Structure formats: structure tokens, C-alpha cells
Coordinates of all heavy atoms in Angstrom, one line a residue:
D5 N 91.1 332.8 15.0 CA 90.9 332.2 16.3 C 90.8 333.4 17.3 O 91.5 334.4 17.2 CB 92.1 331.3 16.7 CG 92.3 330.2 15.7 OD1 91.3 329.4 15.6 OD2 93.4 330.1 15.1
P6 N 89.8 333.3 18.3 CA 89.7 334.3 19.3 C 90.9 334.4 20.2 O 91.5 333.4 20.6 CB 88.4 333.9 20.0 CG 88.3 332.4 19.9 CD 89.0 332.1 18.5
T7 N 91.2 335.6 20.7 CA 92.3 335.8 21.6 C 91.8 336.6 22.8 O 91.0 337.6 22.6 CB 93.4 336.6 20.9 OG1 93.8 336.0 19.7 CG2 94.6 336.7 21.8
F8 N 92.2 336.2 24.0 CA 91.7 336.8 25.2 C 92.9 337.5 25.9 O 94.0 336.9 26.0 CB 91.1 335.8 26.2 CG 89.9 335.1 25.7 CD1 90.0 334.0 24.7 CD2 88.6 335.4 26.1 CE1 88.9 333.4 24.3 CE2 87.5 334.8 25.6 CZ 87.6 333.7 24.7
R9 N 92.7 338.7 26.5 CA 93.7 339.4 27.3 C 93.0 340.0 28.5 O 91.9 340.5 28.3 CB 94.4 340.4 26.5 CG 95.4 339.8 25.4 CD 96.6 339.1 26.1 NE 97.5 338.7 25.1 CZ 97.5 337.6 24.4 NH1 96.4 336.7 24.6 NH2 98.4 337.2 23.5
R10 N 93.7 340.1 29.6 CA 93.1 340.7 30.8 C 93.6 342.2 30.8 O 94.7 342.5 30.5 CB 93.6 340.0 32.0 CG 93.0 340.5 33.4 CD 93.7 339.8 34.5 NE 93.2 340.2 35.8 CZ 92.1 339.7 36.4 NH1 91.5 338.7 35.9 NH2 91.7 340.2 37.6
L11 N 92.6 343.1 31.1 CA 92.9 344.5 31.1 C 92.5 345.1 32.4 O 91.6 344.6 33.1 CB 92.1 345.2 30.0 CG 92.6 345.3 28.6 CD1 91.7 346.1 27.8 CD2 93.9 345.9 28.5
E12 N 93.2 346.1 32.9 CA 92.9 346.9 34.0 C 92.4 348.3 33.6 O 93.2 349.0 33.0 CB 94.0 347.0 35.0 CG 94.4 345.8 35.8 CD 93.3 345.5 36.9 OE1 92.6 346.4 37.3 OE2 93.3 344.3 37.3
I13 N 91.1 348.6 33.8 CA 90.6 349.9 33.3 C 90.2 350.7 34.5 O 89.5 350.1 35.4 CB 89.4 349.6 32.4 CG1 89.9 348.9 31.1 CG2 88.7 350.9 32.0 CD1 88.8 348.7 30.1
K14 N 90.5 351.9 34.6 CA 90.2 352.8 35.7 C 88.7 352.9 35.9 O 87.9 353.0 34.9 CB 90.8 354.2 35.4 CG 90.6 355.1 36.6 CD 91.2 356.5 36.3 CE 91.1 357.4 37.5 NZ 91.7 358.8 37.2
D15 N 88.3 352.8 37.1 CA 86.9 352.9 37.6 C 86.1 351.6 37.2 O 84.9 351.5 37.5 CB 86.2 354.1 37.0 CG 86.8 355.4 37.5 OD1 87.4 355.4 38.6 OD2 86.6 356.4 36.8
V16 N 86.7 350.7 36.6 CA 86.1 349.4 36.3 C 86.8 348.2 36.9 O 86.1 347.3 37.4 CB 86.0 349.2 34.7 CG1 85.3 347.9 34.4 CG2 85.2 350.3 34.1
G17 N 88.1 348.3 36.9 CA 88.9 347.1 37.4 C 89.3 346.2 36.3 O 89.4 346.5 35.2
P18 N 89.5 344.9 36.7 CA 89.9 343.9 35.7 C 88.8 343.6 34.7 O 87.6 343.5 35.0 CB 90.2 342.6 36.6 CG 89.4 342.8 37.8 CD 89.4 344.3 38.1
T19 N 89.1 343.5 33.4 CA 88.2 343.2 32.3 C 88.9 342.2 31.4 O 90.1 342.1 31.4 CB 87.8 344.4 31.5 OG1 88.9 345.1 31.0 CG2 87.0 345.4 32.4
I20 N 88.1 341.5 30.6 CA 88.6 340.6 29.6 C 88.3 341.2 28.2 O 87.1 341.5 27.9 CB 88.0 339.2 29.7 CG1 88.3 338.6 31.1 CG2 88.5 338.3 28.6 CD1 89.7 338.3 31.4
L21 N 89.3 341.4 27.4 CA 89.2 341.9 26.0 C 89.3 340.7 25.1 O 90.3 339.9 25.2 CB 90.2 343.0 25.7 CG 90.1 343.7 24.3 CD1 88.7 344.4 24.2 CD2 91.2 344.6 24.1
V22 N 88.4 340.5 24.1 CA 88.3 339.4 23.2 C 88.4 339.9 21.8 O 87.7 340.8 21.4 CB 87.1 338.6 23.4 CG1 87.1 337.3 22.5 CG2 86.8 338.2 24.8
D23 N 89.4 339.4 21.0 CA 89.5 339.7 19.6 C 88.9 338.5 18.8 O 89.3 337.4 19.1 CB 91.0 339.8 19.2 CG 91.2 340.2 17.8 OD1 90.2 340.8 17.2 OD2 92.3 340.0 17.2
T24 N 88.0 338.8 17.9 CA 87.2 337.8 17.3 C 87.4 337.8 15.8 O 88.0 338.7 15.2 CB 85.7 337.9 17.5 OG1 85.2 339.2 17.1 CG2 85.4 337.8 19.0
V25 N 86.9 336.8 15.1 CA 87.0 336.7 13.6 C 86.2 337.8 13.0 O 85.1 338.2 13.5 CB 86.5 335.3 13.1 CG1 85.0 335.1 13.5 CG2 86.7 335.2 11.6
G26 N 86.6 338.4 11.9 CA 85.9 339.4 11.2 C 84.7 338.9 10.4 O 84.7 337.8 10.0
F27 N 83.7 339.8 10.3 CA 82.5 339.4 9.5 C 82.7 339.9 8.1 O 83.6 340.7 7.8 CB 81.3 340.0 10.1 CG 81.0 339.6 11.5 CD1 80.3 340.5 12.4 CD2 81.5 338.4 12.0 CE1 80.1 340.1 13.7 CE2 81.2 338.0 13.3 CZ 80.6 338.9 14.2
I28 N 81.9 339.3 7.2 CA 82.0 339.7 5.8 C 80.6 339.6 5.2 O 79.7 338.9 5.7 CB 83.0 338.8 5.0 CG1 83.3 339.5 3.6 CG2 82.4 337.4 4.8 CD1 84.5 338.8 3.0
R29 N 80.4 340.4 4.1 CA 79.1 340.4 3.4 C 78.7 339.0 3.0 O 79.5 338.2 2.4 CB 79.2 341.3 2.2 CG 77.8 341.7 1.6 CD 78.0 342.8 0.6 NE 78.2 344.1 1.3 CZ 79.3 344.7 1.4 NH1 80.4 344.2 0.9 NH2 79.4 345.9 2.1
H30 N 77.5 338.6 3.3 CA 76.9 337.3 3.0 C 77.8 336.2 3.5 O 78.2 335.3 2.8 CB 76.8 337.1 1.5 CG 75.8 338.1 0.9 ND1 75.8 338.5 -0.4 CD2 74.7 338.8 1.4 CE1 74.8 339.4 -0.7 NE2 74.2 339.5 0.5
L31 N 78.2 336.3 4.8 CA 79.0 335.2 5.4 C 78.2 333.9 5.4 O 77.1 333.8 5.7 CB 79.3 335.6 6.9 CG 80.2 334.7 7.7 CD1 81.6 334.8 7.2 CD2 80.2 335.0 9.2
P32 N 78.8 332.8 4.8 CA 78.1 331.6 4.7 C 77.5 331.1 6.0 O 78.2 331.1 7.0 CB 79.2 330.6 4.2 CG 80.2 331.5 3.5 CD 80.2 332.7 4.3
H33 N 76.3 330.6 5.9 CA 75.6 330.1 7.1 C 76.4 329.0 7.8 O 76.3 328.8 9.0 CB 74.2 329.8 6.8 CG 73.3 331.0 6.6 ND1 72.8 331.8 7.6 CD2 72.8 331.5 5.4 CE1 72.1 332.7 7.1 NE2 72.1 332.6 5.8
K34 N 77.0 328.1 6.9 CA 77.7 327.0 7.4 C 78.9 327.5 8.3 O 79.1 326.9 9.4 CB 78.3 326.2 6.3 CG 77.3 325.4 5.5 CD 78.0 324.6 4.4 CE 77.0 323.7 3.7 NZ 76.1 324.5 2.9
L35 N 79.5 328.6 8.0 CA 80.5 329.2 8.9 C 79.9 329.7 10.1 O 80.5 329.6 11.2 CB 81.3 330.3 8.1 CG 82.3 329.8 7.1 CD1 83.0 331.0 6.4 CD2 83.4 328.9 7.8
V36 N 78.8 330.4 10.0 CA 78.2 331.0 11.2 C 77.8 329.8 12.2 O 78.1 329.9 13.4 CB 76.9 331.8 10.9 CG1 76.2 332.2 12.2 CG2 77.3 333.0 10.0
D37 N 77.3 328.7 11.7 CA 77.0 327.6 12.5 C 78.2 326.9 13.1 O 78.2 326.5 14.3 CB 76.1 326.6 11.7 CG 74.8 327.1 11.3 OD1 74.3 328.0 12.0 OD2 74.2 326.6 10.3
A38 N 79.2 326.7 12.2 CA 80.4 326.1 12.7 C 81.2 326.8 13.8 O 81.7 326.3 14.7 CB 81.4 325.8 11.5
F39 N 81.1 328.2 13.7 CA 81.8 329.0 14.6 C 80.9 329.5 15.7 O 81.2 330.5 16.4 CB 82.5 330.2 13.9 CG 83.7 329.8 13.2 CD1 83.7 329.2 12.0 CD2 85.0 330.1 13.7 CE1 84.8 328.9 11.3 CE2 86.1 329.7 13.1 CZ 86.1 329.1 11.8
R40 N 79.8 328.8 16.0 CA 78.9 329.2 17.0 C 79.6 329.2 18.4 O 79.3 330.1 19.2 CB 77.7 328.2 17.0 CG 76.6 328.5 18.0 CD 75.7 329.5 17.5 NE 75.1 329.3 16.2 CZ 74.3 330.1 15.6 NH1 74.0 331.3 16.1 NH2 73.8 329.8 14.4
A41 N 80.5 328.3 18.7 CA 81.2 328.3 20.0 C 82.0 329.5 20.1 O 82.1 330.1 21.2 CB 82.0 327.0 20.1
T42 N 82.7 329.9 19.1 CA 83.5 331.1 19.1 C 82.7 332.3 19.2 O 83.0 333.3 20.0 CB 84.4 331.2 17.9 OG1 85.3 330.0 17.8 CG2 85.3 332.4 17.9

């Protein structure tokens, strides 16, 4: 599941960092389609 956190970075200000699901060789297309929202 994706995770969001707010970061303060110098010279940029507030940013959002997102941790996402890892990819893998020949990831099934059904999974790519199902996780389109993520």
C-alpha cells in the first residue's frame, strides 16, 4: 500500500514523499491494471 509523508526540504519548502509498491520482472498486466489508481 502507498504511504504519504510531508517533508520540509531546504530551498523547496513542503513536499510530499510517496512510498509505492515495488516492481518485478514480468509484472502481471492484471496487477498493473488493478493498481492503476495507486
Side-chain angles (χ1 to χ4, degrees):
D5 302 301
T7 308
F8 298 78
R9 290 292 185 275
R10 187 182 178 92
L11 276 181
E12 288 287 338
I13 296 180
K14 187 178 180 181
D15 298 335
V16 179
T19 59
I20 301 294
L21 185 64
V22 187
D23 185 20
T24 61
V25 61
F27 302 151
I28 196 168
R29 191 168 286 103
H30 298 154
L31 187 70
H33 287 285
K34 289 184 176 67
L35 281 178
V36 175
D37 292 338
F39 282 79
R40 186 77 57 182
T42 301

